[in-house]
Coordinates of all heavy atoms in Angstrom, one line a residue:
A66 N 29.8 36.3 -89.5 CA 30.3 37.6 -90.0 C 31.4 37.4 -91.0 O 31.6 38.2 -91.9 CB 30.8 38.4 -88.8
R70 N 28.9 33.0 -97.5 CA 27.9 32.0 -98.0 C 26.8 31.9 -97.0 O 27.0 31.7 -95.8 CB 28.6 30.7 -98.2 CG 29.7 30.7 -99.2 CD 30.4 29.4 -99.4 NE 29.5 28.4 -99.9 CZ 29.1 27.4 -99.1 NH1 29.4 27.3 -97.8 NH2 28.3 26.5 -99.7
A87 N 22.3 22.0 -75.5 CA 22.9 20.9 -74.8 C 23.7 21.3 -73.6 O 23.8 20.6 -72.6 CB 23.9 20.2 -75.8
R154 N 39.2 11.5 -57.0 CA 37.9 11.7 -57.6 C 38.0 12.3 -59.0 O 37.3 11.9 -59.9 CB 37.0 12.6 -56.8 CG 35.5 12.5 -57.0 CD 34.9 11.4 -56.3 NE 33.5 11.4 -56.2 CZ 32.7 10.6 -55.5 NH1 33.3 9.6 -54.8 NH2 31.4 10.7 -55.5
L157 N 39.1 9.6 -61.4 CA 37.9 8.7 -61.7 C 37.0 9.3 -62.8 O 36.6 8.7 -63.7 CB 37.1 8.4 -60.5 CG 37.7 7.3 -59.5 CD1 36.8 7.2 -58.3 CD2 37.8 6.0 -60.2
A185 N 24.8 6.0 -65.1 CA 26.1 5.5 -65.5 C 27.2 5.9 -64.5 O 28.1 5.2 -64.2 CB 26.4 6.0 -66.9
N224 N 16.9 33.0 -76.3 CA 18.0 33.1 -77.3 C 17.8 32.3 -78.5 O 18.0 32.7 -79.7 CB 19.3 32.7 -76.6 CG 19.8 33.6 -75.6 OD1 19.4 34.8 -75.6 ND2 20.5 33.2 -74.6
W228 N 17.7 33.5 -82.4 CA 18.6 33.0 -83.4 C 17.8 32.3 -84.6 O 18.2 32.3 -85.7 CB 19.5 31.9 -82.8 CG 20.5 32.6 -81.8 CD1 20.9 33.9 -81.8 CD2 21.1 32.0 -80.6 NE1 21.7 34.1 -80.7 CE2 21.8 33.0 -80.0 CE3 21.0 30.7 -80.1 CZ2 22.6 32.7 -78.8 CZ3 21.7 30.5 -78.9 CH2 22.5 31.4 -78.3
R230 N 15.0 33.4 -85.6 CA 14.6 34.5 -86.5 C 15.7 35.0 -87.4 O 15.5 35.3 -88.6 CB 14.1 35.7 -85.6 CG 13.7 36.9 -86.4 CD 13.2 38.0 -85.4 NE 12.8 39.1 -86.2 CZ 12.2 40.2 -85.6 NH1 12.1 40.3 -84.3 NH2 11.9 41.3 -86.4
F257 N 12.5 48.1 -121.0 CA 12.6 49.5 -121.0 C 13.6 50.0 -122.0 O 13.4 51.0 -122.7 CB 13.0 50.0 -119.6 CG 13.1 51.5 -119.5 CD1 11.9 52.2 -119.3 CD2 14.3 52.2 -119.5 CE1 11.9 53.6 -119.2 CE2 14.3 53.6 -119.3 CZ 13.1 54.3 -119.2
R370 N 17.7 1.2 7.7 CA 18.4 1.7 8.9 C 17.5 1.7 10.1 O 17.9 1.4 11.3 CB 19.0 3.1 8.6 CG 19.7 3.7 9.7 CD 20.3 5.0 9.3 NE 21.0 5.7 10.3 CZ 21.6 6.9 10.3 NH1 21.4 7.6 9.2 NH2 22.3 7.4 11.3

Side-chain angles (χ1 to χ4, degrees):
R70 299 177 64 251
R154 201 81 165 186
L157 282 176
N224 292 335
W228 296 333
R230 180 177 180 179
F257 185 76
R370 182 178 181 183

